[in-house]
Amino acid sequence: MQFMLLFSRQGKLRLQKWYVPLSDKEKKKITRELVQTVLARKPKMCSFLEWRDLKIVYKRYASLYFCCAIEDQDNELITLEIIHRYVELLDKYFGSVCELDIIFNFEKAYFILDEFLLGGEAQETSKKNVLKAIEQADLLQESEDEYLSVKIFK
Amino acid sequence: MPAPIRLRELIRTIRTARTQAEEREMIQKECAAIRSSFREEDNTYRCRNVAKLLYMHMLGYPAHFGQLECLKLIASQKFTDKRIGYLGAMLLLDERQDVHLLMTNCIKNDLNHSTQYVQGLALCTLGCMGSSEMCRDLAGEVEKLLKTSNSYLRKKAALCAVHVIRKVPELMEMFLPATKNLLSEKNHGVLHTSVVLLTEMCERSPDMLSHFRKLVPQLVRILKNLIMSGYSPEHDVSGISDPFLQVRILRLLRILGRSDDDSSEAMNDILAQVATNTETSKNVGNAILYETVLTIMDIKSESGLRVLAINILGRFLLNNDKNIRYVALTSLLKTVQTDHNAVQRHRSTIVDCLKDLDVSIKRRAMELSFALVNGNNIRGMMKELLYFLDSCDPEFKADCASGVFLAAEKYAPSKRWHIDTIMRVLTTAGSYVRDDSVPNLIQLITNSVEMHAYTVQRLYKALLDDISQQPLVQVSSWCIGEYGDLLVSGQCEEEEPIQVTEDEVLDVLEGLLVSNLSTPVTRGYALTAIMKLSTRFSSVNRIKKVVSIYGSSIDVELQQRAVEYNALFKKYDHMRPALLERMPIMEKTATNGPTEIVQTNGETEPSVLDTKHPPPVTQPANQVRAGVIISKYAGLHLCNLYIGIPPMTAYNKNGLKIEFTFERANPNPNIAVITIHASNSTEADMTDFVFQAAVPKVSRHSLELILKCLIMKHSRFVQSKLCHSILKTLNLVESWVNMSECESRLT
């Protein structure tokens, strides 16, 4: 996978994960064009489109579009499953996830993504394991904060 | 100083902004606060500030002043800081900024951290955006972690290694030892990432590929276990066990079996098993089937398996899910060359997809349909394709039209059918037809001698209906100019001949000249057509009048033509019939292909004279191909010290005459000058005159050849160029040859 974008129906970016090195300007340009292209698609159209020299796989969940750019040799259908798995992870973590969750907790959305994918490939195929890792990391963070705040106020 | 506002608070505030300006103001205010906070080197709230900065960055605002702060966070001991710091690094930094290298040391330390989640952060960041320098520095650490027994870290290290290899391919070797027992892992995460790593290595190095071929049995076993084992809640997706791993294994098998009979044989059974046992009701099963089909088609599988694969694709085509249909069409397109007959069986389904609503599916179906056209199904397929051409979106029309022309040319069952098909395309998609189709069609029509009357009649009728589609108009006017006499004499055999007078024909052509719809090119065609009719019609006076009017046209091209035609009437009337007589049959040549070396007279070192004419502006000229041997003469005569070699006519055909004259150069008598005189005696332009010469090895001491070329043309502007490259490619000339660009002249 080269990159993944999450954006709303109004074209507002909610998450961007780039696995290829590009300048900020290029990223903005790609994002703008791709968002425009995907939003112009009608509901009955298929989830795949060719864009530049990439294959784009996108799926809409409620008010958010999940959009991945994959390479020629990648399997489009399994990419749909990857997107679905990520949505399931978000759902489990936030409890019935909605766009607002991702807006207000974007850093958590990133953390979850980074436990699921690394360098554009899936690193863990078990839902349970990904969630467990996030949980542990969160706990580590909390206990550390607690410990430190106790220290500060002592 | 009050604590900086919390992240969620900021987000809430910014979302209340009603206008872009309001939002910008809030952002600027907050950025200023963050900046001063950074300046104060506040450790406690750095994390919060950077998080806010990342939010604002996502909205599109600049955040580069936070880059160094991310590094400070990464270097911090707090896990919270590191988490945000690494996230910031991945979002704000990339290998283009020098600043990113400062991360290297931190990452190195964190790779050896006592907490696996910190190690995980470091691996993730390195594997996501590590530059080649960083990868070089840290590859050793990654390799170490690849051998750890901690599966949480091992799986991340594997993907990190993939990234390192992509950035610095030379480092691939160092990961080889660590791959030894990767596949014996039980943990699916490690298995999955290991397969990705192995795939990357095999794709990049043929040595690695042969080395890892021995893993095929193991991979087959793992895949078998996945399919045969019962329900595994941890990895289950809609009843299928770990589809992600299955797909990756299938892909690795594809690479390993690609050009190897033994490996292909070893995976035959499992592929058949997956192909037949996988549940197809959900996308997940179809994803696996899709990958299986790709693998079967790519390795050296036996024919039964291939047929199975194509049938799976055929079933995909009937699936309700358009994604599946799309994927099927894409795959069929890839296999249509190699398994043509098998794909033919699904032709009707493919043709049905032409009517699909989805643009991508339609395009694929169109491409595939053209690939499936052959002599047996041409009539039926063409009917469908023409119907498609009628109703499809404009973006398809050009490609479809070209495809129809190509298919018709290859498989036309009869000349009449061919002409009818062309007519249909011109009338329904005439404005989308490619420019180079016009000369091709004209050549086709010229060569279908017995159809001339029918063709011109049909084209004339089409013109009466519609003069807006330029390619149609151009072809029609050319035809009327050539065969107008057949039109008025009502000689058509194929259909009911129409009654039309000379004046009516001239009305139509003159109408083209004045119409706003006609492009300058079209007007040129029309004027020349009118001129040609002066030898075919009796109303010469009318034609003379038209021609003289356009002698003062603003359009230079039109004016020049008119002036010359006028001259033809006035001064050269005796030449007019010969000049304007019917075009002879044009030889078929490759229109866009590279020049072919033609061997004539059994000479072994041929050279080629080739004139190619894609006319943008002028009438289509003859396409001529001729083999001219200069080597024999050049070598022989020049070796004889080239005194008094008489001029020779090297080529004289179809109005193109090439003469060679030989003389000694002045002042250097050791230089032979071969002057090539080319003249065009037809009334049409010859454009893009390309002269290519192959010369035999000649003794360096005896000669240098200077080839000079003068083009004298009948009356029109000609552009030509001499081709130096052929000399280099043929590598025949040892001595230095200088070829000058020839001049183009306007008379």
Side-chain angles (χ1 to χ4, degrees):
Chain A
M1 194 184 299
Q2 292 212 355
F3 58 84
M4 183 192 283
L5 302 173
L6 265 69
F7 50 90
S8 69
R9 277 207 55 72
Q10 287 76 40
K12 290 214 123 145
L13 200 60
R14 299 300 178 204
L15 189 144
Q16 50 173 334
K17 188 76 190 180
W18 299 84
Y19 296 109
V20 287
L22 290 165
S23 72
D24 234 13
K25 203 167 120 183
E26 286 167 312
K27 286 182 192 168
K28 282 207 173 118
K29 181 159 186 262
I30 291 176
T31 307
R32 195 175 46 236
E33 279 176 32
L34 197 50
V35 167
Q36 227 172 11
T37 310
V38 171
L39 287 178
R41 302 272 287 182
K42 304 194 194 68
K44 287 276 188 238
M45 297 177 113
C46 74
S47 295
F48 314 129
L49 60 107
E50 293 104 34
W51 186 80
R52 299 197 184 181
D53 58 342
L54 293 167
K55 298 200 278 198
I56 305 293
V57 180
Y58 73 94
K59 193 149 184 207
R60 184 174 158 199
Y61 288 85
S63 58
L64 270 181
Y65 282 90
F66 287 70
C67 185
C68 297
I70 59 175
E71 278 140 347
D72 217 31
Q73 61 268 48
D74 292 329
N75 182 325
E76 294 97 319
L77 298 178
I78 208 75
T79 309
L80 278 175
E81 292 300 320
I82 297 226
I83 293 177
H84 191 72
R85 174 57 65 89
Y86 181 48
V87 172
E88 283 179 324
L89 290 167
L90 290 170
D91 199 47
K92 209 62 197 285
Y93 183 82
F94 288 110
S96 240
V97 68
C98 64
E99 192 184 342
L100 277 177
D101 290 319
I102 300 185
I103 295 172
F104 278 95
N105 300 287
F106 70 94
E107 84 276 16
K108 302 243 169 64
Y110 274 109
F111 295 153
I112 295 171
L113 186 61
D114 286 339
E115 275 304 324
F116 175 41
L117 302 178
L118 201 158
E121 305 282 351
Q123 57 180 287
E124 180 58 68
T125 56
S126 151
K127 228 188 309 188
K128 188 179 87 181
N129 286 349
V130 176
L131 291 167
K132 199 162 73 177
I134 292 287
E135 207 182 291
Q136 298 288 342
D138 282 349
L139 261 156
L140 180 59
Q141 186 171 329
E142 273 169 39
S143 61
E144 194 182 64
D145 287 344
E146 218 179 82
Y147 171 73
L148 286 168
S149 55
V150 166
K151 270 211 104 176
I152 289 172
F153 290 118
K154 249 212 164 103
Chain B
M1 172 154 156
I5 66 170
R6 292 171 177 266
L7 171 63
R8 325 257 176 250
E9 192 59 49
L10 177 69
I11 298 177
R12 216 184 323 264
T13 314
I14 292 178
R15 281 170 64 78
T16 61
R18 275 161 303 169
T19 64
Q20 185 76 12
E22 212 179 313
E23 182 186 276
R24 210 180 357 251
E25 211 183 297
M26 291 179 187
I27 301 267
Q28 273 171 359
K29 195 163 137 220
E30 185 57 37
C31 275
I34 293 177
R35 274 187 146 107
S36 44
S37 188
F38 283 163
R39 264 198 297 274
E40 287 169 23
E41 299 281 339
D42 185 326
N43 287 340
T44 327
Y45 296 112
R46 181 176 288 124
C47 177
R48 186 185 288 181
N49 285 327
V50 169
K52 287 187 286 187
L53 203 55
L54 293 180
Y55 177 72
M56 296 189 288
H57 177 252
M58 183 142 65
L59 292 178
Y61 296 93
H64 44 271
F65 58 90
Q67 286 168 0
L68 272 173
E69 302 300 314
C70 291
L71 294 176
K72 292 182 196 161
L73 283 175
I74 292 173
S76 155
Q77 289 309 310
K78 285 169 63 178
F79 182 64
T80 318
D81 283 353
K82 283 189 192 286
R83 247 184 158 184
I84 296 289
Y86 276 117
L87 179 61
M90 284 192 273
L91 287 175
L92 300 181
L93 291 171
D94 63 60
E95 53 187 58
R96 287 140 198 274
Q97 285 110 6
D98 294 326
V99 129
H100 83 281
L101 285 169
L102 297 172
M103 266 200 293
T104 315
N105 217 36
C106 285
I107 294 187
K108 188 167 189 173
N109 291 336
D110 283 342
L111 284 174
N112 293 306
H113 204 273
S114 49
T115 313
Q116 69 174 14
Y117 298 107
V118 173
Q119 289 173 293
L121 285 176
L123 280 169
C124 182
T125 308
L126 182 60
C128 246
M129 44 86 67
S131 64
S132 6
E133 295 92 351
M134 281 170 72
C135 287
R136 250 184 256 274
D137 288 338
L138 300 169
E141 305 296 325
V142 176
E143 198 259 344
K144 229 166 39 187
L145 287 170
L146 193 51
K147 298 193 279 217
T148 176
S149 53
N150 179 335
S151 50
Y152 176 77
L153 293 175
R154 205 167 185 207
K155 72 189 185 198
K156 289 181 194 273
L159 288 182
C160 201
V162 171
H163 181 85
V164 168
I165 291 173
R166 283 185 185 152
K167 283 293 191 189
V168 193
E170 308 89 71
L171 291 176
M172 187 162 41
E173 294 286 322
M174 76 183 283
F175 293 108
L176 189 52
T179 62
K180 231 187 202 87
N181 50 3
L182 274 178
L183 288 186
S184 21
E185 263 278 355
K186 289 276 186 289
N187 180 297
H188 281 223
V190 178
L191 268 178
H192 185 270
T193 58
S194 305
V195 172
V196 175
L197 175 59
L198 292 169
T199 309
E200 186 71 29
M201 292 168 98
C202 290
E203 273 176 338
R204 281 181 182 270
S205 153
D207 290 333
M208 291 286 182
L209 181 57
S210 10
H211 173 83
F212 284 124
R213 278 227 172 85
K214 59 177 192 267
L215 293 176
V216 170
Q218 208 173 355
L219 289 166
V220 168
R221 243 193 336 268
I222 298 173
L223 191 52
K224 197 167 191 146
N225 282 336
L226 284 173
I227 304 170
M228 305 298 270
S229 67
Y231 174 72
S232 153
E234 199 174 327
H235 300 110
D236 181 89
V237 180
S238 303
I240 296 181
S241 194
D242 207 337
F244 304 106
L245 182 56
Q246 288 195 37
V247 165
R248 271 341 282 236
I249 291 180
L250 285 163
R251 184 159 151 186
L252 180 55
L253 286 175
R254 177 155 83 243
I255 294 166
L256 293 174
R258 200 167 258 156
S259 17
D260 189 75
D261 289 321
D262 293 329
S263 306
S264 300
E265 167 123 22
M267 52 181 88
N268 216 50
D269 286 343
I270 191 68
L271 289 174
Q273 213 177 350
V274 176
T276 40
N277 287 351
T278 307
E279 185 67 44
T280 59
S281 53
K282 292 269 180 71
N283 180 62
V284 114
N286 289 321
I288 295 175
L289 278 178
Y290 176 40
E291 196 74 34
T292 313
V293 165
L294 290 177
T295 302
I296 292 175
M297 299 316 294
D298 221 7
I299 65 172
K300 296 190 168 250
S301 46
E302 44 178 62
S303 60
L305 203 54
R306 293 181 88 85
V307 171
L308 179 61
I310 304 253
N311 287 344
I312 292 176
L313 292 178
R315 276 206 307 277
F316 274 7
L317 280 179
L318 300 167
N319 197 305
N320 285 328
D321 187 342
K322 50 190 126 35
N323 293 334
I324 310 279
R325 292 206 297 277
Y326 174 87
V327 143
L329 287 169
T330 313
S331 315
L332 284 169
L333 200 53
K334 286 193 209 142
T335 63
V336 73
Q337 302 304 331
T338 45
D339 295 87
H340 193 88
N341 291 332
V343 180
Q344 280 282 1
R345 267 184 239 126
H346 302 278
R347 196 178 65 243
S348 49
T349 325
I350 292 169
V351 167
D352 280 338
C353 289
L354 284 172
K355 307 192 182 86
D356 203 293
L357 293 164
D358 186 292
V359 166
S360 314
I361 290 182
K362 274 206 274 235
R363 176 166 286 283
R364 288 272 182 282
M366 181 182 83
E367 287 168 11
L368 201 46
S369 300
F370 279 122
L372 289 175
V373 168
N374 63 26
N376 293 328
N377 57 36
I378 178 75
R379 283 189 195 265
M381 288 295 275
M382 201 49 86
K383 224 193 314 191
E384 296 285 347
L385 288 166
L386 286 173
Y387 179 73
F388 174 68
L389 182 63
D390 252 334
S391 51
C392 68
D393 299 327
E395 60 188 282
F396 289 116
K397 292 213 193 229
D399 289 329
C400 190
S402 300
V404 167
F405 285 148
L406 259 145
E409 201 170 311
K410 270 204 263 184
Y411 302 111
S414 76
K415 284 243 159 83
R416 163 142 182 198
W417 181 93
H418 197 168
I419 305 265
D420 281 342
T421 306
I422 292 173
M423 288 290 310
R424 179 85 185 268
V425 174
L426 285 178
T427 47
T428 54
S431 15
Y432 300 97
V433 154
R434 279 200 240 282
D435 288 339
D436 59 359
S437 309
V438 173
N440 288 342
L441 293 176
I442 286 174
Q443 179 184 39
L444 175 69
I445 291 170
T446 309
N447 293 349
S448 319
V449 177
E450 64 277 15
M451 303 296 302
H452 283 170
Y454 172 71
T455 311
V456 70
Q457 182 162 298
R458 285 213 59 190
L459 286 171
Y460 178 75
K461 285 202 271 194
L463 262 193
L464 291 177
D465 276 331
D466 174 19
I467 59 168
S468 64
Q469 305 193 84
Q470 299 306 294
L472 171 63
V473 175
Q474 288 167 12
V475 174
S476 304
S477 23
W478 190 91
C479 274
I480 294 173
E482 281 291 309
Y483 313 120
D485 49 325
L486 299 176
L487 187 60
V488 296
S489 64
Q491 282 178 30
C492 184
E493 286 167 0
E494 300 281 340
E495 61 174 24
E496 185 71 32
I498 58 173
Q499 308 293 348
V500 61
T501 65
E502 293 184 0
D503 277 323
E504 284 171 333
V505 174
L506 288 170
D507 283 341
V508 169
L509 288 176
E510 282 185 53
L512 293 176
L513 278 172
V514 300
S515 166
N516 285 334
L517 297 166
S518 300
T519 63
V521 173
T522 308
R523 291 207 177 95
Y525 273 88
L527 188 61
T528 306
I530 292 176
M531 186 59 192
K532 282 194 208 168
L533 289 174
S534 71
T535 55
R536 294 158 176 71
F537 283 3
S538 49
S539 23
V540 184
N541 285 329
R542 178 172 175 181
I543 294 175
K544 268 196 205 169
K545 234 198 292 183
V546 173
V547 166
S548 63
I549 291 173
Y550 281 89
S552 39
S553 163
I554 304 177
D555 181 343
V556 173
E557 174 69 33
L558 222 47
Q559 187 192 102
Q560 183 173 355
R561 282 173 194 244
V563 162
E564 289 170 358
Y565 292 150
N566 253 332
L568 208 52
F569 276 125
K570 296 213 169 70
K571 285 197 279 178
Y572 302 101
D573 207 36
H574 53 283
M575 288 170 72
R576 187 164 50 88
L579 282 171
L580 299 177
E581 73 178 9
R582 275 254 216 289
M583 280 290 190
I585 299 213
M586 305 179 203
E587 284 164 25
K588 271 237 161 201
T589 62
T591 47
N592 291 317
T595 315
E596 287 162 37
I597 305 290
V598 171
Q599 280 198 322
T600 57
N601 298 344
E603 295 294 332
T604 48
E605 285 177 322
S607 60
V608 178
L609 197 71
D610 185 278
T611 32
K612 295 195 255 195
H613 311 288
V617 190
T618 64
Q619 280 193 357
N622 292 324
Q623 283 193 3
V624 173
R625 149 155 278 143
V628 176
I629 308 303
I630 60 168
S631 59
K632 175 178 161 204
Y633 301 103
L636 214 55
H637 291 240
L638 291 164
C639 284
N640 287 333
L641 295 180
Y642 50 84
I643 303 167
I645 302 170
M648 82 185 218
T649 302
Y651 179 83
N652 189 356
K653 206 166 145 198
N654 285 348
L656 178 65
K657 184 170 171 190
I658 312 257
E659 269 191 340
F660 288 177
T661 58
F662 307 88
E663 57 209 48
R664 275 195 243 212
N666 223 341
N668 185 351
N670 285 331
I671 296 176
V673 178
I674 305 177
T675 308
I676 298 153
H677 303 259
S679 55
N680 172 6
S681 61
T682 69
E683 90 283 7
D685 286 345
M686 286 184 182
T687 56
D688 286 11
F689 182 76
V690 175
F691 178 73
Q692 299 171 329
V695 191
K697 271 188 184 169
V698 287
S699 165
R700 188 181 291 230
H701 304 298
S702 50
L703 327 145
E704 279 180 301
L705 301 173
I706 301 175
L707 297 169
K708 208 160 131 190
C709 181
L710 263 179
I711 306 280
M712 299 184 307
K713 226 215 109 277
H714 176 61
S715 60
R716 243 152 287 204
F717 176 73
V718 135
Q719 249 182 338
S720 314
K721 63 183 175 193
L722 296 171
C723 192
H724 296 245
S725 59
I726 191 140
L727 292 168
K728 292 200 202 112
T729 50
L730 289 179
N731 205 26
L732 286 175
V733 182
E734 226 184 33
S735 53
W736 172 76
V737 176
N738 178 322
M739 286 166 66
S740 54
E741 294 279 336
C742 71
E743 301 138 1
S744 23
R745 304 184 306 169
L746 264 168
T747 43

